[in-house]
Amino acid sequence: MWNAMRTFVRRHRRKLVFAGALVGGLYLLGNYTQRKLVGLQEQEATELLAQLRRQHHFENSQRTCNSTVLSIIPSLRKSIIQQLESESLTAVLKSKPANKLEIWEDLKILGFSRAIVAVYSTSALAVLLCVQLNIIGGYIYLDNRVENFGAFGQKLKLSYGAQQRYLSSVEHLLGDGLRQLVTLVKCVVQDVVGCVQLKQAVSLAKLRDFIADIRRIIEASTLGNLSEIEGGTIIQSPCLAQGHSPGISPLVRFMLPDEDDCFSAQTRISTDEERTTLKLLDETRDMMESRDFNLVLQSCLDRGFARLMDNVGCFFEPSTGPLPEAKSCEQPNSLPLAKLIPIFNGQVHSICSDAPNHFIQELLTMDVIENFAANLYEAFSTPEQLCK
């Protein structure tokens, strides 16, 4: 028996060696494949878990953004009312003064300016905080998940104090920035509606034209030597003398302090916390000069002024008398401009109302701002994106 086996092995030695090598190779290949599959599964599970964590962190950042905007709105409303104070003029009117017409003219400018400033400042606040909180959110995620290394090429050191310093820059929009915006809006409103008589009947369509004219001047791509031609006359506002970089929304200068102010303060910066704050502001300013930011801001303004006109349009009742067949029975009546003044004057309380503020919720849930927030968070929470 053993002799037969030795003879068989000797006769089929090459075949047996080949078969053994083949079986051994298949075994090793199977083990290697199994290890690779297990490794890939573990990697996929790790990546999925990281994505879920980042998604959860992003959603928390968005909730923080929404609550922060709503918490600042009352302060913004108070600042607008203080800078465009009309209640004292209304009280004087009750005493039937001799300069009653002059007071009504002042109320006209204040009323329109209040509503327009409310839309601009509220939209700017929502978009600015969206940028700031998603930049912070992205860096905090990196701080915790990528061994404290980020876009700065060093440890982020994004302390609570640095976050507070960075977010406190929104005070510019509530202070000096708002004062500059109020000055600009009052100047443009005076140009557009200042010559309209108080008793003149104004239709809703004409009112939309007024708002469109005001927006076109304020949102022009450059404010230097700006002139608008209306009805063959040139409207030139002295408050539009300040220039601005083409392609960047002029509203940006009301949202953050001037870049020169930050750089002039750089010599006084001595702590890591202050340096980090300056870098965060630089990141924010770069983002605000991007095309995406300006498109999002424009969309918010469009939605805001549409909401304003919807609110005012409720005071225009449809005509009930006989109308030509070509006209709709829903054609709105005209109202004297004097009756529109208190309507516009009170819109600040609707647009900048306390929570629940439906306008703010509508802004923050727009697809364009949600996509912008997601892209922004992705850019600042992904090391590969930051390296680019």
Side-chain angles (χ1 to χ4, degrees):
M1 177 179 177
W2 292 109
N3 290 334
M5 289 181 64
R6 283 196 298 269
T7 302
F8 177 81
V9 170
R10 191 181 304 114
R11 184 183 304 169
H12 300 284
R13 181 174 53 190
R14 293 185 179 179
K15 295 180 180 179
L16 291 174
V17 171
F18 178 77
L22 179 62
V23 171
L26 290 175
Y27 175 77
L28 292 175
L29 179 62
N31 282 344
Y32 173 77
T33 303
Q34 184 177 10
R35 288 197 301 271
K36 291 294 292 183
L37 288 174
V38 171
L40 288 174
Q41 289 174 350
E42 291 177 350
Q43 183 180 357
E44 290 178 356
T46 302
E47 291 177 353
L48 179 60
L49 182 60
Q51 290 177 1
L52 291 175
R53 285 175 175 171
R54 185 157 60 171
Q55 179 66 26
H56 178 69
H57 191 260
F58 169 70
E59 291 173 352
N60 285 338
S61 296
Q62 296 314 109
R63 285 192 287 269
T64 301
C65 179
N66 295 356
S67 60
T68 303
V69 174
L70 289 172
S71 67
I72 296 178
I73 285 294
S75 298
L76 177 62
R77 181 182 67 243
K78 181 179 179 181
S79 298
I80 294 173
I81 293 174
Q82 286 178 346
Q83 296 189 37
L84 291 167
E85 199 273 328
S86 62
E87 284 71 21
S88 61
L89 294 179
T90 304
V92 171
L93 277 179
K94 295 179 180 179
S95 63
K96 298 180 180 181
N99 60 340
K100 181 179 178 180
L101 183 60
E102 181 181 342
I103 294 176
W104 269 107
E105 290 292 337
D106 290 340
L107 284 173
K108 176 176 66 176
I109 303 303
L110 288 173
F112 275 85
S113 297
R114 257 194 183 190
I116 292 168
V117 168
V119 174
Y120 276 122
S121 57
T122 303
S123 301
L125 176 67
V127 183
L128 174 61
L129 286 176
C130 174
V131 171
Q132 289 188 309
L133 290 171
N134 278 289
I135 288 177
I136 285 182
Y139 278 144
I140 289 176
Y141 181 83
L142 277 181
D143 229 357
N144 297 330
R145 307 300 303 175
V146 195
E147 298 180 354
N148 291 332
F149 276 84
F152 302 151
Q154 56 186 2
K155 289 186 178 181
L156 292 176
K157 298 180 181 178
L158 193 57
S159 64
Y160 178 77
Q163 296 178 44
Q164 292 298 104
R165 283 173 177 265
Y166 173 54
L167 291 176
S168 67
S169 61
V170 76
E171 293 177 1
H172 176 77
L173 177 59
L174 304 179
D176 292 340
L178 184 63
R179 280 190 288 273
Q180 296 169 10
L181 177 61
V182 166
T183 300
L184 172 61
V185 171
K186 285 179 65 177
C187 194
V188 177
V189 167
Q190 179 66 51
D191 284 341
V192 175
V193 300
C195 59
V196 182
Q197 299 299 318
L198 293 170
K199 295 182 179 180
Q200 180 175 330
V202 179
S203 67
L204 189 58
K206 185 60 177 177
L207 199 57
R208 293 182 192 277
D209 291 340
F210 288 153
I211 298 298
D213 290 341
I214 293 170
R215 287 192 63 187
R216 185 169 63 251
I217 299 174
I218 293 174
E219 298 169 29
S221 60
T222 175
L223 297 182
N225 300 320
L226 181 68
S227 62
E228 291 287 332
I229 300 178
E230 281 294 329
T233 60
I234 298 179
I235 301 175
Q236 182 87 36
S237 297
C239 55
L240 301 180
Q242 297 180 1
H244 199 74
S245 301
I248 301 173
S249 172
L251 300 176
V252 169
R253 63 187 171 131
F254 306 128
M255 300 165 70
L256 279 182
D258 290 337
E259 188 175 4
D260 294 339
D261 294 342
C262 293
F263 284 126
S264 63
Q266 194 170 11
T267 56
R268 302 192 301 271
I269 292 178
S270 58
T271 67
D272 290 338
E273 183 176 291
E274 291 171 335
R275 280 190 287 270
T276 300
T277 303
L278 180 62
K279 290 178 180 179
L280 289 171
L281 289 171
D282 289 341
E283 294 277 3
T284 304
R285 191 171 288 104
D286 290 341
M287 183 57 60
M288 292 169 66
E289 294 176 357
S290 69
R291 180 175 178 272
D292 288 343
F293 176 87
N294 287 278
L295 289 176
V296 171
L297 180 58
Q298 190 66 40
S299 298
C300 290
L301 292 174
D302 291 342
R303 181 61 262 173
F305 280 104
R307 164 71 69 133
L308 172 64
M309 294 311 301
D310 288 344
N311 292 348
V312 175
C314 295
F315 293 89
F316 285 78
E317 297 181 356
S319 300
T320 56
L323 294 172
E325 293 182 359
K327 296 184 179 180
S328 167
C329 61
E330 295 297 325
Q331 179 185 9
N333 286 324
S334 297
L335 291 176
L337 184 63
K339 287 190 176 182
L340 293 174
I341 293 174
I343 296 174
F344 271 88
N345 195 54
Q347 288 304 305
V348 65
H349 298 286
S350 174
I351 295 171
C352 300
S353 66
D354 295 334
N357 186 315
H358 300 294
F359 171 57
I360 292 296
Q361 294 297 338
E362 185 178 359
L363 278 186
L364 296 176
T365 56
M366 290 172 59
D367 289 340
V368 65
I369 199 168
E370 287 186 340
N371 293 335
F372 177 68
N375 293 335
L376 190 61
Y377 183 87
E378 177 75 15
F380 284 90
S381 64
T382 307
E384 293 80 3
Q385 292 281 15
L386 292 173
C387 290
K388 295 178 182 179

